[in-house]
Amino acid sequence: MISVVIPNYNTKYEYFVECIESVVKQDFNNFEIIVVDNGSEEILFKKYEEYTKDIKNLKLLRCDRIPNKKNLSVALNYGILNSKYDVVARMDADDIMLKDRLTKQYNYLINNKVDILGGQLEYLNNSGRTNHPTIVTKEIPINSIWFINHPTIMFRKNKIIEIGLYKEEPEFIAEDYELWTRSLKNDLVIHNLSDVVIKYRVHEGNLTFKDKANPYYESLLNYIRKGYNQYYMETKK
């Protein structure tokens, strides 16, 4: 029913174990776990391999890091294309799923005309949670770049494949915002659950922090926003 796709790159072993345990313990019955290791150090990969070898519904795949590409997108696309189910749930390798995440999101997705479904997250390292809107309208990306939590999404696989999957270049592209705006341009329906579905770990290794530190990130983000704004204004004529 659900393929849980988890990109992984040099995740601290203890965090990795917590993540996988939280997925294994879901109260949903029919799912597979696809971990896509994207070039972790060999000594770490061996530890991941040893830990996961007896988890029957888990596949640990490897894909090489590609210079000058957004390797998170590379890993996600590899996982999506190697998944067997029609519904995909995204997960980071250092976060924790709440036990009923898959059940709540799957039931909402299949009972509503929704293509991409996010949920709220709660921060592990400090207090607080997100409160993103239930319905992501085409107007929302005009004024905001953060209206859905990327690690919480569940989506209909065929819809994401139809619009071209995640963009893999340039290297510092905001792959999530780019995908959301491209999805809206293609009339995909995006919602958020009001419930918290994951506990999000904040640390120096977060890819978001690394990306934002690069000077190209902001200029690429502005380029995507400008293109979407132009599209939106054209639709209002």
Side-chain angles (χ1 to χ4, degrees), residues 43-77:
I43 190 168
L44 260 179
F45 181 80
K46 292 296 184 184
K47 292 178 75 174
Y48 304 144
E49 195 171 41
E50 178 65 23
Y51 171 70
T52 59
K53 67 180 183 180
D54 295 323
I55 301 175
K56 63 180 181 179
N57 61 335
L58 186 147
K59 291 191 290 185
L60 177 58
L61 308 178
R62 301 185 88 171
C63 71
D64 294 333
R65 295 186 75 75
I66 303 174
N68 303 315
K69 288 211 172 187
K70 186 61 175 276
N71 278 285
L72 175 60
S73 295
V74 171
L76 285 168
N77 288 342

PDB file of all heavy atoms in Angstrom, residues 43-77:
ATOM      1  N   ILE A  43      32.307   2.815   6.631  1.00  0.00           N
ATOM      2  CA  ILE A  43      32.192   2.279   7.991  1.00  0.00           C
ATOM      3  C   ILE A  43      30.790   2.495   8.554  1.00  0.00           C
ATOM      4  O   ILE A  43      30.252   1.641   9.260  1.00  0.00           O
ATOM      5  CB  ILE A  43      33.266   2.901   8.923  1.00  0.00           C
ATOM      6  CG1 ILE A  43      33.307   2.153  10.257  1.00  0.00           C
ATOM      7  CG2 ILE A  43      33.019   4.400   9.137  1.00  0.00           C
ATOM      8  CD1 ILE A  43      34.514   2.509  11.119  1.00  0.00           C
ATOM      9  N   LEU A  44      30.174   3.632   8.201  1.00  0.00           N
ATOM     10  CA  LEU A  44      28.795   3.892   8.628  1.00  0.00           C
ATOM     11  C   LEU A  44      27.828   3.015   7.865  1.00  0.00           C
ATOM     12  O   LEU A  44      26.892   2.454   8.442  1.00  0.00           O
ATOM     13  CB  LEU A  44      28.437   5.363   8.399  1.00  0.00           C
ATOM     14  CG  LEU A  44      28.478   6.307   9.586  1.00  0.00           C
ATOM     15  CD1 LEU A  44      28.119   7.715   9.151  1.00  0.00           C
ATOM     16  CD2 LEU A  44      27.531   5.844  10.690  1.00  0.00           C
ATOM     17  N   PHE A  45      28.047   2.897   6.556  1.00  0.00           N
ATOM     18  CA  PHE A  45      27.141   2.081   5.753  1.00  0.00           C
ATOM     19  C   PHE A  45      27.096   0.643   6.260  1.00  0.00           C
ATOM     20  O   PHE A  45      26.025   0.026   6.298  1.00  0.00           O
ATOM     21  CB  PHE A  45      27.543   2.099   4.277  1.00  0.00           C
ATOM     22  CG  PHE A  45      26.614   1.291   3.417  1.00  0.00           C
ATOM     23  CD1 PHE A  45      25.392   1.806   3.009  1.00  0.00           C
ATOM     24  CD2 PHE A  45      26.940  -0.009   3.044  1.00  0.00           C
ATOM     25  CE1 PHE A  45      24.516   1.052   2.244  1.00  0.00           C
ATOM     26  CE2 PHE A  45      26.074  -0.771   2.281  1.00  0.00           C
ATOM     27  CZ  PHE A  45      24.861  -0.239   1.874  1.00  0.00           C
ATOM     28  N   LYS A  46      28.230   0.106   6.662  1.00  0.00           N
ATOM     29  CA  LYS A  46      28.271  -1.259   7.188  1.00  0.00           C
ATOM     30  C   LYS A  46      27.424  -1.388   8.450  1.00  0.00           C
ATOM     31  O   LYS A  46      26.761  -2.413   8.669  1.00  0.00           O
ATOM     32  CB  LYS A  46      29.712  -1.676   7.472  1.00  0.00           C
ATOM     33  CG  LYS A  46      30.576  -1.846   6.234  1.00  0.00           C
ATOM     34  CD  LYS A  46      30.075  -2.973   5.340  1.00  0.00           C
ATOM     35  CE  LYS A  46      30.993  -3.196   4.158  1.00  0.00           C
ATOM     36  NZ  LYS A  46      30.443  -4.231   3.230  1.00  0.00           N
ATOM     37  N   LYS A  47      27.413  -0.344   9.259  1.00  0.00           N
ATOM     38  CA  LYS A  47      26.582  -0.357  10.466  1.00  0.00           C
ATOM     39  C   LYS A  47      25.103  -0.297  10.093  1.00  0.00           C
ATOM     40  O   LYS A  47      24.276  -1.013  10.677  1.00  0.00           O
ATOM     41  CB  LYS A  47      26.951   0.819  11.367  1.00  0.00           C
ATOM     42  CG  LYS A  47      28.330   0.712  11.979  1.00  0.00           C
ATOM     43  CD  LYS A  47      28.672   1.919  12.829  1.00  0.00           C
ATOM     44  CE  LYS A  47      27.943   1.886  14.155  1.00  0.00           C
ATOM     45  NZ  LYS A  47      28.385   2.982  15.052  1.00  0.00           N
ATOM     46  N   TYR A  48      24.743   0.530   9.118  1.00  0.00           N
ATOM     47  CA  TYR A  48      23.351   0.577   8.649  1.00  0.00           C
ATOM     48  C   TYR A  48      22.935  -0.790   8.111  1.00  0.00           C
ATOM     49  O   TYR A  48      21.835  -1.290   8.381  1.00  0.00           O
ATOM     50  CB  TYR A  48      23.171   1.592   7.516  1.00  0.00           C
ATOM     51  CG  TYR A  48      23.586   3.003   7.780  1.00  0.00           C
ATOM     52  CD1 TYR A  48      24.163   3.776   6.761  1.00  0.00           C
ATOM     53  CD2 TYR A  48      23.386   3.619   9.013  1.00  0.00           C
ATOM     54  CE1 TYR A  48      24.533   5.087   6.970  1.00  0.00           C
ATOM     55  CE2 TYR A  48      23.759   4.936   9.225  1.00  0.00           C
ATOM     56  CZ  TYR A  48      24.334   5.664   8.195  1.00  0.00           C
ATOM     57  OH  TYR A  48      24.701   6.969   8.403  1.00  0.00           O
ATOM     58  N   GLU A  49      23.836  -1.396   7.352  1.00  0.00           N
ATOM     59  CA  GLU A  49      23.564  -2.685   6.714  1.00  0.00           C
ATOM     60  C   GLU A  49      23.341  -3.775   7.764  1.00  0.00           C
ATOM     61  O   GLU A  49      22.413  -4.577   7.651  1.00  0.00           O
ATOM     62  CB  GLU A  49      24.746  -3.042   5.810  1.00  0.00           C
ATOM     63  CG  GLU A  49      24.486  -4.128   4.820  1.00  0.00           C
ATOM     64  CD  GLU A  49      25.631  -4.272   3.838  1.00  0.00           C
ATOM     65  OE1 GLU A  49      26.804  -4.185   4.262  1.00  0.00           O
ATOM     66  OE2 GLU A  49      25.355  -4.474   2.646  1.00  0.00           O
ATOM     67  N   GLU A  50      24.183  -3.787   8.774  1.00  0.00           N
ATOM     68  CA  GLU A  50      24.066  -4.784   9.830  1.00  0.00           C
ATOM     69  C   GLU A  50      22.757  -4.611  10.594  1.00  0.00           C
ATOM     70  O   GLU A  50      22.069  -5.595  10.902  1.00  0.00           O
ATOM     71  CB  GLU A  50      25.255  -4.670  10.781  1.00  0.00           C
ATOM     72  CG  GLU A  50      25.216  -5.636  11.970  1.00  0.00           C
ATOM     73  CD  GLU A  50      25.319  -7.093  11.549  1.00  0.00           C
ATOM     74  OE1 GLU A  50      25.845  -7.392  10.449  1.00  0.00           O
ATOM     75  OE2 GLU A  50      24.858  -7.960  12.327  1.00  0.00           O
ATOM     76  N   TYR A  51      22.408  -3.375  10.892  1.00  0.00           N
ATOM     77  CA  TYR A  51      21.186  -3.111  11.656  1.00  0.00           C
ATOM     78  C   TYR A  51      19.926  -3.493  10.873  1.00  0.00           C
ATOM     79  O   TYR A  51      18.966  -4.024  11.435  1.00  0.00           O
ATOM     80  CB  TYR A  51      21.118  -1.637  12.060  1.00  0.00           C
ATOM     81  CG  TYR A  51      19.796  -1.250  12.656  1.00  0.00           C
ATOM     82  CD1 TYR A  51      19.406  -1.705  13.919  1.00  0.00           C
ATOM     83  CD2 TYR A  51      18.892  -0.461  11.937  1.00  0.00           C
ATOM     84  CE1 TYR A  51      18.175  -1.388  14.450  1.00  0.00           C
ATOM     85  CE2 TYR A  51      17.653  -0.132  12.468  1.00  0.00           C
ATOM     86  CZ  TYR A  51      17.303  -0.601  13.726  1.00  0.00           C
ATOM     87  OH  TYR A  51      16.074  -0.291  14.253  1.00  0.00           O
ATOM     88  N   THR A  52      19.907  -3.231   9.572  1.00  0.00           N
ATOM     89  CA  THR A  52      18.678  -3.401   8.793  1.00  0.00           C
ATOM     90  C   THR A  52      18.523  -4.786   8.156  1.00  0.00           C
ATOM     91  O   THR A  52      17.461  -5.097   7.616  1.00  0.00           O
ATOM     92  CB  THR A  52      18.606  -2.356   7.657  1.00  0.00           C
ATOM     93  OG1 THR A  52      19.748  -2.504   6.796  1.00  0.00           O
ATOM     94  CG2 THR A  52      18.580  -0.941   8.221  1.00  0.00           C
ATOM     95  N   LYS A  53      19.543  -5.634   8.247  1.00  0.00           N
ATOM     96  CA  LYS A  53      19.543  -6.872   7.453  1.00  0.00           C
ATOM     97  C   LYS A  53      18.389  -7.815   7.785  1.00  0.00           C
ATOM     98  O   LYS A  53      17.953  -8.591   6.926  1.00  0.00           O
ATOM     99  CB  LYS A  53      20.871  -7.600   7.608  1.00  0.00           C
ATOM    100  CG  LYS A  53      21.132  -8.146   9.001  1.00  0.00           C
ATOM    101  CD  LYS A  53      22.477  -8.871   9.078  1.00  0.00           C
ATOM    102  CE  LYS A  53      22.699  -9.471  10.459  1.00  0.00           C
ATOM    103  NZ  LYS A  53      24.007 -10.173  10.544  1.00  0.00           N
ATOM    104  N   ASP A  54      17.856  -7.757   9.008  1.00  0.00           N
ATOM    105  CA  ASP A  54      16.795  -8.683   9.396  1.00  0.00           C
ATOM    106  C   ASP A  54      15.408  -8.037   9.414  1.00  0.00           C
ATOM    107  O   ASP A  54      14.443  -8.651   9.877  1.00  0.00           O
ATOM    108  CB  ASP A  54      17.099  -9.273  10.778  1.00  0.00           C
ATOM    109  CG  ASP A  54      18.349 -10.146  10.772  1.00  0.00           C
ATOM    110  OD1 ASP A  54      18.555 -10.850   9.768  1.00  0.00           O
ATOM    111  OD2 ASP A  54      19.110 -10.102  11.756  1.00  0.00           O
ATOM    112  N   ILE A  55      15.313  -6.813   8.912  1.00  0.00           N
ATOM    113  CA  ILE A  55      14.006  -6.151   8.825  1.00  0.00           C
ATOM    114  C   ILE A  55      13.390  -6.545   7.488  1.00  0.00           C
ATOM    115  O   ILE A  55      13.839  -6.104   6.424  1.00  0.00           O
ATOM    116  CB  ILE A  55      14.140  -4.620   8.961  1.00  0.00           C
ATOM    117  CG1 ILE A  55      14.795  -4.268  10.302  1.00  0.00           C
ATOM    118  CG2 ILE A  55      12.759  -3.954   8.848  1.00  0.00           C
ATOM    119  CD1 ILE A  55      15.077  -2.782  10.486  1.00  0.00           C
ATOM    120  N   LYS A  56      12.383  -7.388   7.532  1.00  0.00           N
ATOM    121  CA  LYS A  56      11.924  -8.084   6.328  1.00  0.00           C
ATOM    122  C   LYS A  56      11.334  -7.183   5.259  1.00  0.00           C
ATOM    123  O   LYS A  56      11.420  -7.488   4.074  1.00  0.00           O
ATOM    124  CB  LYS A  56      10.926  -9.184   6.698  1.00  0.00           C
ATOM    125  CG  LYS A  56       9.641  -8.682   7.344  1.00  0.00           C
ATOM    126  CD  LYS A  56       8.705  -9.839   7.671  1.00  0.00           C
ATOM    127  CE  LYS A  56       7.407  -9.352   8.301  1.00  0.00           C
ATOM    128  NZ  LYS A  56       6.476 -10.457   8.596  1.00  0.00           N
ATOM    129  N   ASN A  57      10.710  -6.073   5.653  1.00  0.00           N
ATOM    130  CA  ASN A  57      10.078  -5.208   4.652  1.00  0.00           C
ATOM    131  C   ASN A  57      10.940  -4.002   4.318  1.00  0.00           C
ATOM    132  O   ASN A  57      10.457  -3.011   3.799  1.00  0.00           O
ATOM    133  CB  ASN A  57       8.702  -4.744   5.127  1.00  0.00           C
ATOM    134  CG  ASN A  57       8.766  -3.940   6.414  1.00  0.00           C
ATOM    135  OD1 ASN A  57       9.700  -4.086   7.201  1.00  0.00           O
ATOM    136  ND2 ASN A  57       7.769  -3.090   6.633  1.00  0.00           N
ATOM    137  N   LEU A  58      12.244  -4.091   4.604  1.00  0.00           N
ATOM    138  CA  LEU A  58      13.163  -2.969   4.349  1.00  0.00           C
ATOM    139  C   LEU A  58      14.177  -3.332   3.278  1.00  0.00           C
ATOM    140  O   LEU A  58      14.780  -4.408   3.304  1.00  0.00           O
ATOM    141  CB  LEU A  58      13.883  -2.571   5.635  1.00  0.00           C
ATOM    142  CG  LEU A  58      14.781  -1.325   5.566  1.00  0.00           C
ATOM    143  CD1 LEU A  58      14.776  -0.588   6.909  1.00  0.00           C
ATOM    144  CD2 LEU A  58      16.227  -1.669   5.182  1.00  0.00           C
ATOM    145  N   LYS A  59      14.360  -2.400   2.323  1.00  0.00           N
ATOM    146  CA  LYS A  59      15.417  -2.533   1.319  1.00  0.00           C
ATOM    147  C   LYS A  59      16.411  -1.391   1.519  1.00  0.00           C
ATOM    148  O   LYS A  59      16.023  -0.231   1.566  1.00  0.00           O
ATOM    149  CB  LYS A  59      14.833  -2.460  -0.094  1.00  0.00           C
ATOM    150  CG  LYS A  59      13.991  -3.644  -0.494  1.00  0.00           C
ATOM    151  CD  LYS A  59      13.675  -3.645  -1.987  1.00  0.00           C
ATOM    152  CE  LYS A  59      12.710  -2.537  -2.353  1.00  0.00           C
ATOM    153  NZ  LYS A  59      12.294  -2.597  -3.778  1.00  0.00           N
ATOM    154  N   LEU A  60      17.680  -1.740   1.643  1.00  0.00           N
ATOM    155  CA  LEU A  60      18.746  -0.741   1.749  1.00  0.00           C
ATOM    156  C   LEU A  60      19.443  -0.667   0.400  1.00  0.00           C
ATOM    157  O   LEU A  60      20.153  -1.586  -0.003  1.00  0.00           O
ATOM    158  CB  LEU A  60      19.727  -1.127   2.854  1.00  0.00           C
ATOM    159  CG  LEU A  60      20.941  -0.214   3.056  1.00  0.00           C
ATOM    160  CD1 LEU A  60      20.523   1.219   3.363  1.00  0.00           C
ATOM    161  CD2 LEU A  60      21.846  -0.759   4.163  1.00  0.00           C
ATOM    162  N   LEU A  61      19.205   0.438  -0.301  1.00  0.00           N
ATOM    163  CA  LEU A  61      19.761   0.625  -1.637  1.00  0.00           C
ATOM    164  C   LEU A  61      20.894   1.639  -1.585  1.00  0.00           C
ATOM    165  O   LEU A  61      20.990   2.444  -0.662  1.00  0.00           O
ATOM    166  CB  LEU A  61      18.675   1.121  -2.603  1.00  0.00           C
ATOM    167  CG  LEU A  61      17.374   0.311  -2.658  1.00  0.00           C
ATOM    168  CD1 LEU A  61      16.400   0.963  -3.630  1.00  0.00           C
ATOM    169  CD2 LEU A  61      17.646  -1.132  -3.062  1.00  0.00           C
ATOM    170  N   ARG A  62      21.738   1.602  -2.592  1.00  0.00           N
ATOM    171  CA  ARG A  62      22.834   2.575  -2.690  1.00  0.00           C
ATOM    172  C   ARG A  62      22.771   3.268  -4.042  1.00  0.00           C
ATOM    173  O   ARG A  62      22.540   2.637  -5.068  1.00  0.00           O
ATOM    174  CB  ARG A  62      24.192   1.901  -2.535  1.00  0.00           C
ATOM    175  CG  ARG A  62      24.401   1.179  -1.246  1.00  0.00           C
ATOM    176  CD  ARG A  62      25.814   0.630  -1.095  1.00  0.00           C
ATOM    177  NE  ARG A  62      26.698   1.617  -0.492  1.00  0.00           N
ATOM    178  CZ  ARG A  62      27.946   1.337  -0.091  1.00  0.00           C
ATOM    179  NH1 ARG A  62      28.428   0.117  -0.243  1.00  0.00           N
ATOM    180  NH2 ARG A  62      28.686   2.276   0.461  1.00  0.00           N
ATOM    181  N   CYS A  63      22.968   4.573  -4.023  1.00  0.00           N
ATOM    182  CA  CYS A  63      23.170   5.304  -5.274  1.00  0.00           C
ATOM    183  C   CYS A  63      24.305   6.298  -5.056  1.00  0.00           C
ATOM    184  O   CYS A  63      24.435   6.872  -3.975  1.00  0.00           O
ATOM    185  CB  CYS A  63      21.894   5.986  -5.759  1.00  0.00           C
ATOM    186  SG  CYS A  63      21.357   7.413  -4.798  1.00  0.00           S
ATOM    187  N   ASP A  64      25.129   6.451  -6.067  1.00  0.00           N
ATOM    188  CA  ASP A  64      26.311   7.293  -5.951  1.00  0.00           C
ATOM    189  C   ASP A  64      25.944   8.772  -5.880  1.00  0.00           C
ATOM    190  O   ASP A  64      24.947   9.213  -6.448  1.00  0.00           O
ATOM    191  CB  ASP A  64      27.236   7.073  -7.151  1.00  0.00           C
ATOM    192  CG  ASP A  64      27.827   5.672  -7.177  1.00  0.00           C
ATOM    193  OD1 ASP A  64      27.966   5.077  -6.089  1.00  0.00           O
ATOM    194  OD2 ASP A  64      28.134   5.190  -8.283  1.00  0.00           O
ATOM    195  N   ARG A  65      26.779   9.524  -5.173  1.00  0.00           N
ATOM    196  CA  ARG A  65      26.662  10.968  -5.204  1.00  0.00           C
ATOM    197  C   ARG A  65      27.164  11.473  -6.548  1.00  0.00           C
ATOM    198  O   ARG A  65      28.162  10.967  -7.079  1.00  0.00           O
ATOM    199  CB  ARG A  65      27.452  11.622  -4.068  1.00  0.00           C
ATOM    200  CG  ARG A  65      26.894  11.257  -2.705  1.00  0.00           C
ATOM    201  CD  ARG A  65      27.568  12.012  -1.585  1.00  0.00           C
ATOM    202  NE  ARG A  65      27.138  13.401  -1.507  1.00  0.00           N
ATOM    203  CZ  ARG A  65      25.961  13.803  -1.035  1.00  0.00           C
ATOM    204  NH1 ARG A  65      25.067  12.903  -0.634  1.00  0.00           N
ATOM    205  NH2 ARG A  65      25.658  15.080  -0.968  1.00  0.00           N
ATOM    206  N   ILE A  66      26.452  12.464  -7.099  1.00  0.00           N
ATOM    207  CA  ILE A  66      26.809  12.984  -8.416  1.00  0.00           C
ATOM    208  C   ILE A  66      27.248  14.437  -8.259  1.00  0.00           C
ATOM    209  O   ILE A  66      26.488  15.263  -7.744  1.00  0.00           O
ATOM    210  CB  ILE A  66      25.608  12.898  -9.377  1.00  0.00           C
ATOM    211  CG1 ILE A  66      25.119  11.445  -9.479  1.00  0.00           C
ATOM    212  CG2 ILE A  66      25.982  13.433 -10.755  1.00  0.00           C
ATOM    213  CD1 ILE A  66      23.849  11.285 -10.298  1.00  0.00           C
ATOM    214  N   PRO A  67      28.463  14.763  -8.671  1.00  0.00           N
ATOM    215  CA  PRO A  67      28.941  16.143  -8.535  1.00  0.00           C
ATOM    216  C   PRO A  67      28.027  17.143  -9.240  1.00  0.00           C
ATOM    217  O   PRO A  67      27.486  16.851 -10.315  1.00  0.00           O
ATOM    218  CB  PRO A  67      30.324  16.108  -9.203  1.00  0.00           C
ATOM    219  CG  PRO A  67      30.734  14.675  -9.142  1.00  0.00           C
ATOM    220  CD  PRO A  67      29.469  13.877  -9.265  1.00  0.00           C
ATOM    221  N   ASN A  68      27.830  18.284  -8.610  1.00  0.00           N
ATOM    222  CA  ASN A  68      27.065  19.408  -9.176  1.00  0.00           C
ATOM    223  C   ASN A  68      25.571  19.111  -9.327  1.00  0.00           C
ATOM    224  O   ASN A  68      24.885  19.805 -10.079  1.00  0.00           O
ATOM    225  CB  ASN A  68      27.646  19.843 -10.535  1.00  0.00           C
ATOM    226  CG  ASN A  68      29.108  20.219 -10.437  1.00  0.00           C
ATOM    227  OD1 ASN A  68      29.510  20.921  -9.520  1.00  0.00           O
ATOM    228  ND2 ASN A  68      29.909  19.732 -11.373  1.00  0.00           N
ATOM    229  N   LYS A  69      25.079  18.105  -8.627  1.00  0.00           N
ATOM    230  CA  LYS A  69      23.645  17.824  -8.622  1.00  0.00           C
ATOM    231  C   LYS A  69      23.109  17.913  -7.201  1.00  0.00           C
ATOM    232  O   LYS A  69      23.854  17.804  -6.223  1.00  0.00           O
ATOM    233  CB  LYS A  69      23.346  16.444  -9.203  1.00  0.00           C
ATOM    234  CG  LYS A  69      23.537  16.368 -10.707  1.00  0.00           C
ATOM    235  CD  LYS A  69      22.597  15.373 -11.335  1.00  0.00           C
ATOM    236  CE  LYS A  69      22.649  15.424 -12.850  1.00  0.00           C
ATOM    237  NZ  LYS A  69      21.610  14.577 -13.459  1.00  0.00           N
ATOM    238  N   LYS A  70      21.788  18.098  -7.083  1.00  0.00           N
ATOM    239  CA  LYS A  70      21.148  18.081  -5.777  1.00  0.00           C
ATOM    240  C   LYS A  70      20.973  16.618  -5.390  1.00  0.00           C
ATOM    241  O   LYS A  70      20.036  15.944  -5.828  1.00  0.00           O
ATOM    242  CB  LYS A  70      19.798  18.803  -5.848  1.00  0.00           C
ATOM    243  CG  LYS A  70      19.108  18.953  -4.488  1.00  0.00           C
ATOM    244  CD  LYS A  70      19.965  19.778  -3.531  1.00  0.00           C
ATOM    245  CE  LYS A  70      19.276  20.046  -2.210  1.00  0.00           C
ATOM    246  NZ  LYS A  70      18.380  21.205  -2.266  1.00  0.00           N
ATOM    247  N   ASN A  71      21.875  16.122  -4.576  1.00  0.00           N
ATOM    248  CA  ASN A  71      21.897  14.686  -4.318  1.00  0.00           C
ATOM    249  C   ASN A  71      20.725  14.197  -3.484  1.00  0.00           C
ATOM    250  O   ASN A  71      20.363  13.025  -3.551  1.00  0.00           O
ATOM    251  CB  ASN A  71      23.239  14.293  -3.710  1.00  0.00           C
ATOM    252  CG  ASN A  71      24.301  14.108  -4.779  1.00  0.00           C
ATOM    253  OD1 ASN A  71      24.312  13.121  -5.488  1.00  0.00           O
ATOM    254  ND2 ASN A  71      25.173  15.099  -4.923  1.00  0.00           N
ATOM    255  N   LEU A  72      20.087  15.097  -2.717  1.00  0.00           N
ATOM    256  CA  LEU A  72      18.847  14.699  -2.050  1.00  0.00           C
ATOM    257  C   LEU A  72      17.800  14.320  -3.085  1.00  0.00           C
ATOM    258  O   LEU A  72      17.104  13.313  -2.949  1.00  0.00           O
ATOM    259  CB  LEU A  72      18.336  15.820  -1.151  1.00  0.00           C
ATOM    260  CG  LEU A  72      16.975  15.571  -0.490  1.00  0.00           C
ATOM    261  CD1 LEU A  72      17.013  14.329   0.395  1.00  0.00           C
ATOM    262  CD2 LEU A  72      16.537  16.785   0.323  1.00  0.00           C
ATOM    263  N   SER A  73      17.688  15.125  -4.132  1.00  0.00           N
ATOM    264  CA  SER A  73      16.738  14.822  -5.217  1.00  0.00           C
ATOM    265  C   SER A  73      17.113  13.524  -5.925  1.00  0.00           C
ATOM    266  O   SER A  73      16.244  12.716  -6.268  1.00  0.00           O
ATOM    267  CB  SER A  73      16.697  15.975  -6.227  1.00  0.00           C
ATOM    268  OG  SER A  73      16.200  17.149  -5.657  1.00  0.00           O
ATOM    269  N   VAL A  74      18.413  13.333  -6.142  1.00  0.00           N
ATOM    270  CA  VAL A  74      18.883  12.100  -6.795  1.00  0.00           C
ATOM    271  C   VAL A  74      18.445  10.886  -5.987  1.00  0.00           C
ATOM    272  O   VAL A  74      17.907   9.905  -6.530  1.00  0.00           O
ATOM    273  CB  VAL A  74      20.417  12.130  -6.950  1.00  0.00           C
ATOM    274  CG1 VAL A  74      20.938  10.763  -7.428  1.00  0.00           C
ATOM    275  CG2 VAL A  74      20.842  13.226  -7.921  1.00  0.00           C
ATOM    276  N   ALA A  75      18.656  10.946  -4.677  1.00  0.00           N
ATOM    277  CA  ALA A  75      18.293   9.815  -3.814  1.00  0.00           C
ATOM    278  C   ALA A  75      16.788   9.608  -3.757  1.00  0.00           C
ATOM    279  O   ALA A  75      16.306   8.464  -3.806  1.00  0.00           O
ATOM    280  CB  ALA A  75      18.850  10.044  -2.409  1.00  0.00           C
ATOM    281  N   LEU A  76      16.034  10.698  -3.658  1.00  0.00           N
ATOM    282  CA  LEU A  76      14.573  10.575  -3.605  1.00  0.00           C
ATOM    283  C   LEU A  76      14.025   9.977  -4.901  1.00  0.00           C
ATOM    284  O   LEU A  76      13.172   9.078  -4.865  1.00  0.00           O
ATOM    285  CB  LEU A  76      13.939  11.938  -3.338  1.00  0.00           C
ATOM    286  CG  LEU A  76      14.049  12.452  -1.900  1.00  0.00           C
ATOM    287  CD1 LEU A  76      13.649  13.928  -1.829  1.00  0.00           C
ATOM    288  CD2 LEU A  76      13.168  11.636  -0.967  1.00  0.00           C
ATOM    289  N   ASN A  77      14.504  10.468  -6.028  1.00  0.00           N
ATOM    290  CA  ASN A  77      14.029   9.941  -7.308  1.00  0.00           C
ATOM    291  C   ASN A  77      14.376   8.461  -7.465  1.00  0.00           C
ATOM    292  O   ASN A  77      13.569   7.665  -7.953  1.00  0.00           O
ATOM    293  CB  ASN A  77      14.617  10.749  -8.469  1.00  0.00           C
ATOM    294  CG  ASN A  77      14.008  12.130  -8.591  1.00  0.00           C
ATOM    295  OD1 ASN A  77      12.935  12.397  -8.052  1.00  0.00           O
ATOM    296  ND2 ASN A  77      14.691  13.019  -9.287  1.00  0.00           N
TER     297      ASN A  77
END
